[in-house]
Amino acid sequence: MNPDHLFVEDIHVAYLAGADRLAVVRGLSLTLERGAIGCLLGPSGCGKTTVLRALAGFEPLLDGRIVLGGRQIASACRALAPEARRIGVVFQEHALFPHLNVADNIGFGLRLAPARQRRERVAALAALVGLSASLRRFPHELSGGQQQRVAIARALAPAPDLLLLDEPFSSLDQELRERLALEVRDLLVESGTTALLVTHDQHEAFVMADRVGVMDGGTLVQWDTPQRLYHAPATHFVADFIGRGAVLPGQCDGAAVRLELGELPLPPGVATRQRALDVLLRAEHIVLDDTSPHRVEVVRRAFRGADTLLTLRLASGRQIFAHAPGDRQFAPGDAIGVRLAARHAVTLERTGDGYAVGLVESSA
């Protein structure tokens, strides 16, 4: 094992609920390379924030262990105190000291350092987060985005081995969230900081992280790159949770996968058995085509400037999604033609204990 990794092995965390223990995290394992940015993504209540609290030392482990920088910092038998773990934490509420200016907030964790070293470190971090001109200002004089950058600089000041970010942009508006997510990724990469983010926002996760873990019911369902999560989900839950897509029933006849919207031909020489399966279709797999015999009904539209996201109803009543040019006009109830344009399709085949996920490459 590389000692520079964050190594989380089979951890279990539970809360007391009266006389009982309520399991919140079950058998979670992951690794994160030094300098990489990871993210735990999932719906509310899936256990992602509890994982961060266990890493920070705020929740004990029932089982498993956590190793950081070659040091075992937690197990079911022994755990280092939070202040001994060399972990920085950024909360969603910023939690800045209102009576301290920006410089003193950033330098709060450096109180025992020599004055000159502290000043130099504060100046370097202020420059890194773009607040060199605001060192004498107080938190109430800053915007929400500036306050969050101060909180991140303060967490980075002691040079932690790991930075944890718990829904760091949830209190900001959507436009600021997207811009700040890019800015924070840049500064983490520039500083070489290993970080783990928790969010329920897929766009935020994909923008910031090198590795993303999807959680469901206290378990880590898939820990992978954003690209593989989107194009090769490991389970039906991941396929349904990630991105904007719809799952349609299909039938493989050995030569093609046939769907309500048409068929996805298989490459020559590919031998497959006949079987029923489900197919994941994302918005980019559906193309508007006025000449197509497949007619669908517009259910709703979401204008996004350059394009419009359409929710469409098939003859069966199932719904799919498609992108349309932003300058085209649609209204609910309109009937339009569509066709398949997928080069590959994610298949989800029912098995005795769930789904087997595969990938059908189309020759179309």
Side-chain angles (χ1 to χ4, degrees), residues 1 13 19 25 47 51 71 79 109 128 149 169 182 238 250 262 268 297 307 311 324:
M1 180 186 66
V13 184
V25 176
V51 175
R71 297 185 305 153
L128 184 66
R149 287 201 292 270
F169 314 122
L182 288 168
V238 177
E297 178 189 351
D307 70 349
T311 303

Side-chain angles (χ1 to χ4, degrees), residues 12-333:
H12 294 252
V13 184
Y15 293 136
L16 286 177
D20 301 321
R21 280 180 171 173
L22 178 63
V24 180
V25 176
R26 306 176 184 86
L28 183 141
S29 300
L30 61 84
T31 60
L32 192 62
E33 294 182 1
R34 184 177 182 84
I37 302 171
C39 177
L40 294 177
L41 173 69
S44 297
C46 69
K48 55 188 185 294
T49 293
T50 300
V51 175
L52 247 62
R53 291 179 59 82
L55 288 169
F58 304 148
E59 299 294 341
L61 299 183
L62 285 180
D63 202 356
R65 64 182 182 132
I66 302 170
V67 178
L68 180 61
R71 297 185 305 153
Q72 182 167 293
I73 62 174
S75 70
C77 302
R78 181 177 179 273
L80 295 181
E83 62 272 17
R85 298 191 178 198
R86 295 189 53 79
I87 292 177
V89 184
V90 177
F91 300 101
Q92 54 184 295
E93 302 89 0
H94 315 321
L96 300 180
F97 299 107
H99 63 290
L100 299 181
N101 61 25
V102 169
D104 290 338
N105 263 289
I106 294 175
F108 185 81
L110 303 173
R111 298 183 306 281
L112 301 181
R116 180 177 177 180
Q117 179 181 337
R118 184 183 181 203
R119 286 195 302 271
E120 290 175 350
R121 180 66 172 162
V122 167
L125 286 167
L128 184 66
V129 298
L131 291 172
S132 296
S134 302
L135 287 173
R136 299 305 164 197
R137 297 172 68 186
F138 287 84
H140 72 273
E141 300 175 303
L142 304 176
S143 68
Q146 289 173 321
Q147 290 180 28
Q148 192 60 289
R149 287 201 292 270
V150 174
I152 292 169
R154 183 179 63 185
L156 290 174
D161 291 334
L162 176 68
L163 181 66
L164 305 177
L165 302 103
D166 185 10
E167 299 274 8
F169 314 122
S170 62
S171 62
L172 307 176
D173 63 72
Q174 187 63 37
E175 183 179 351
L176 181 55
R177 287 178 68 158
E178 294 182 8
R179 186 170 74 248
L180 194 57
L182 288 168
E183 292 177 1
V184 170
R185 174 176 171 80
D186 289 344
L187 72 88
L188 291 175
V189 170
E190 186 175 345
S191 64
T193 302
T194 308
L196 186 65
L197 164 79
V198 155
T199 184
H200 64 275
D201 187 309
Q202 297 175 31
H203 181 74
E204 197 171 283
F206 284 11
V207 164
M208 285 195 65
D210 303 303
R211 306 279 291 188
V212 177
V214 177
M215 292 192 64
D216 177 35
T219 63
L220 187 63
V221 183
Q222 186 173 355
W223 177 251
D224 219 324
T225 64
Q227 291 79 10
R228 283 191 55 79
L229 281 176
Y230 190 86
H231 294 295
T235 69
H236 190 289
F237 176 82
V238 177
D240 193 49
F241 184 77
I242 294 294
R244 179 75 72 172
V247 176
L248 299 183
Q251 181 72 36
C252 181
D253 64 5
V257 178
R258 303 187 186 280
L259 305 169
E260 183 177 354
L261 274 176
E263 63 180 39
L264 294 169
L266 298 177
V270 173
T272 62
R273 61 184 177 84
Q274 295 188 12
R275 65 199 191 277
L277 40 72
D278 291 338
V279 177
L280 172 67
L281 293 178
R282 301 201 186 276
E284 60 267 27
H285 296 154
I286 308 297
V287 174
L288 274 60
D289 183 352
D290 293 335
T291 66
S292 172
H294 300 289
R295 313 301 290 180
V296 296
E297 178 189 351
V298 176
V299 176
R300 67 179 65 91
R301 63 185 181 193
F303 178 68
R304 304 189 300 187
D307 70 349
T308 298
L309 180 66
L310 298 177
T311 303
L312 307 170
R313 182 181 291 117
L314 303 176
S316 65
R318 296 184 178 89
Q319 293 187 351
I320 58 173
F321 305 94
H323 296 297
D327 58 357
R328 287 196 61 178
Q329 299 296 315
F330 298 94

